[in-house]
Amino acid sequence: MSVDIVDRVERRAPAVSFGVTTLAALVALGVLALTVRGNFVPGVAALGALLVSVAAWRGDVRWITYGCLILALALVVAATRSPSPPVAAMVGIAVALCLAWDVGRYGAALAEQVGTGAATERAELTHAGFSAAVGVGIAGVSYGLFRSFGGLSTVGTLGLLIGAALLVGSIRLRS
Amino acid sequence: MRKQTTGHRTDHWTGIGGVGLAGIAVGVLLESAGLFLAGLVGVGYAGVAYASVSPFVAAVPDGGTSADTLTDADLHVSRAVETRRVETGEEVRVTVTVENRGTTFYPDLRFADGVPDSLSVVGGEPSAATALRAGDDYQFTYAVEALRGTHEWGPLTVSAAGPGWTTEVETTLDDDSVLTSVPELDGDVDLPLYTDSTRGAGRLDSDESGNGVEFYGVREYRRGDPLSRINWKHYARTGDMATLEFREQRSVDVVFVIDSRRQAYLAPDEESPHAVEHGITAVRKLFDAALDDGNRAGIAAVGREDCWLAPGSGSKHRARARDILGDHPALSARPPESERFELFPPERRKTLREREVTRLHKRFPAAAQVVLVGPCCDGYVPLAARQFTALGRRVTVLSPDPTSDDSVSEGLAALARADRLADLRRRGIRTIDWDPDEPLELALIQTQKRWEGGR
């Protein structure tokens, strides 16, 4: 029995990945809590963030995804509320979510491949840095375009949709 | 030597593009600009991750191979084992060094060293992950505990990926590293040997009177007895001449026959040493003690291949025995993959085993006594003991106990083993039932007491 408990709480993910994942999930939760009225959305988001953090500690790839999906659901519900969170806040939450999902799963896979006790900090920091840079870059470009179109106009929406379709199409071609 | 580099997708980003597109769709439906842009972030992540392919990854087709990627000119990887020969039980440091000799930045490099299964890692990890810029190098170190035998490292696996970890390329490096550990012989025990199969002068107390140092008895004076042996006190008191007798000290030839068949590699659990290892530990002590007492000792093994050291003495013989017990393939720390006579039906196998015992018997010196060392968890050692006895040899069975009472089946195995040993005792064959958790010396003392008590 005691062995089971030790097995359950033992960290199975590298420290840097766990730290970045938890921090990103907390940022997403914090921004949602600050920008949405009521307790329901922050409550759901807190559940998602907790799941993400525990799963990152345990190195459980599947539950990191489930936790992020709960956070994403909280974001969708927040968008339906009046007033909904500012656009910039929602983009920021999305970046934090993607970062938590990516880095958490990366760390779990890394630990599975080389072990929890192995020295992995440089690889983890490089990947987390890349992921954060990608998120900030995409958020900056899309928010900049949004602002330059002066909102979600029909032309702007169409342009962004075409861009997204091209992007996904190129991904499918590559794979 | 490096194998060709292979490439495969990691599926790390699977799903994020779809969730992003769903976010965009919901954003459009709800006329929520924030949700629309949030979805776009997801799609953007997927796009950038797939687009950020490093050149060394692009050179290897998905599922294919390449001989020009991760070459030694790009990435030089070497393994250094601190020493090639070491005392058993000592820690040995192993250092893996990676040099980026090319011009490429490796954002995600992973290494897993092929530590021999027979060695346990006692410090650090035999694997690592890092990022490495052009011209930089990286080291990771771990320690293994040297166990008896020769241990060869397996290939070291190197994998590399771009910053997004979308596709991974992998190669293996065969760098011959070997560690040999030969334990010392340490004969701080006293094996009770039969004294009726002696060979010449030695230090073993026989049951005959002769030129020893231990008092044996007094007998009537016979013409020609040396003056130094005459009991002058007795003469002064009675006027009759009597001669003192001392116990004759003789030496014996003894051959330690170790059961190293696959069936003998038994242990109570995965962490504990197996019975063959315990048997070898015991022989290391007893062989040394036998030589210290002026006897001649030899070694034979029954198992995967021939192992034979004819009885002898002297420092060279001792050194040869040390090497055989430390490093002979027939006494490997790992069980053999296949067994001699394995393909024969049981009856035929038994006949062949009996012939093997006869062959050993013919090989041994005429008066050599046999110490059979094995767990006795099947019928082989009892069969060999009975056969050696029938051939006129003095036999002692030393049996390290690998059984436990953790389950019903293990308890039954322990009972069956005890029954085999009891049967040998009933037949007058000396048996030493040794629980390896206890010192061998204790088992020998207890057994000797039992023998002296006639049991």
Side-chain angles (χ1 to χ4, degrees), chain B residues 353-368 370 383-395 429:
Chain B
R353 286 287 182 202
E354 283 170 350
R355 278 190 199 162
E356 194 177 34
V357 174
T358 309
R359 187 177 54 80
L360 284 173
H361 165 73
K362 286 178 180 168
R363 202 178 220 184
F364 297 169
V370 175
L383 172 87
R386 291 196 301 270
Q387 205 181 337
F388 275 126
T389 307
L391 291 165
R393 295 211 177 262
R394 288 301 214 168
V395 176
I429 296 169

Side-chain angles (χ1 to χ4, degrees), chain A residues 44-61:
Chain A
V44 173
L47 176 70
L50 182 70
L51 254 182
V52 168
S53 184
V54 171
W57 176 271
R58 294 272 295 122
D60 192 324
V61 172

Side-chain angles (χ1 to χ4, degrees), chain A residues 87 91 94 98 101-102 105-106 109-110 113-114 117-120 122 126-127 130-131 134-135 138 146 160-161 168 171 174, chain B residues 12-13 24 33 36-38 40 43-45 47-48 50 52-53 108 110 125 127 129-131 138 159 163-165 168:
Chain A
V87 172
V91 171
C98 290
W101 181 79
D102 169 33
R105 292 171 81 245
Y106 175 84
L110 188 63
Q113 202 169 346
V114 299
T120 53
R122 276 163 73 169
T126 304
H127 184 83
F130 165 80
S131 192
V134 168
I138 295 167
F146 167 75
L160 287 173
L161 270 175
V168 173
I171 293 164
R174 285 187 66 85
Chain B
H12 175 62
W13 296 96
I24 290 174
F36 179 89
L37 291 180
L40 206 62
V43 175
Y45 254 100
V48 174
Y50 281 103
S52 62
V53 177
D108 185 331
R110 302 176 187 197
E125 287 281 337
S127 51
T130 190
Y138 174 75
S159 64
W165 195 52
E168 208 171 42

Side-chain angles (χ1 to χ4, degrees), chain A residues 25-170:
Chain A
L26 286 176
V27 166
L29 168 66
V31 175
L32 259 178
L34 287 173
T35 53
V36 179
R37 280 185 193 165
N39 294 328
F40 178 70
V41 171
V44 173
L47 176 70
L50 182 70
L51 254 182
V52 168
S53 184
V54 171
W57 176 271
R58 294 272 295 122
D60 192 324
V61 172
R62 186 182 296 177
W63 282 97
I64 290 171
T65 301
Y66 293 158
C68 286
L69 282 174
I70 291 174
L71 272 166
L73 187 71
L75 184 64
V76 172
V77 176
T80 62
R81 294 290 172 92
S82 184
S84 66
V87 172
M90 292 189 76
V91 171
I93 290 166
V95 170
L97 258 176
C98 290
L99 186 66
W101 181 79
D102 169 33
V103 176
R105 292 171 81 245
Y106 175 84
L110 188 63
E112 196 180 322
Q113 202 169 346
V114 299
T116 317
T120 53
E121 293 82 9
R122 276 163 73 169
E124 287 179 87
L125 284 170
T126 304
H127 184 83
F130 165 80
S131 192
V134 168
V136 170
I138 295 167
V141 169
S142 54
Y143 188 69
L145 281 173
F146 167 75
R147 296 287 293 179
S148 63
F149 280 120
L152 201 63
S153 66
T154 312
V155 178
T157 308
L158 267 176
L160 287 173
L161 270 175
I162 289 166
L166 284 174
L167 205 53
V168 173
S170 75

Side-chain angles (χ1 to χ4, degrees), chain B residues 143-177:
Chain B
V144 292
E145 185 183 347
L147 298 178
R148 188 185 61 79
T150 296
H151 314 276
E152 281 181 47
W153 263 254
L156 190 150
T157 306
V158 183
S159 64
W165 195 52
T166 311
T167 302
E168 208 171 42
V169 292
E170 190 175 290
T171 189
T172 53
L173 171 72
D174 285 326
D175 187 5
D176 294 336
S177 302

Side-chain angles (χ1 to χ4, degrees), chain B residues 266-275 278 437:
Chain B
L266 298 169
D269 52 68
E270 283 183 12
E271 283 75 35
S272 302
H274 45 68
H278 285 306
D437 289 338

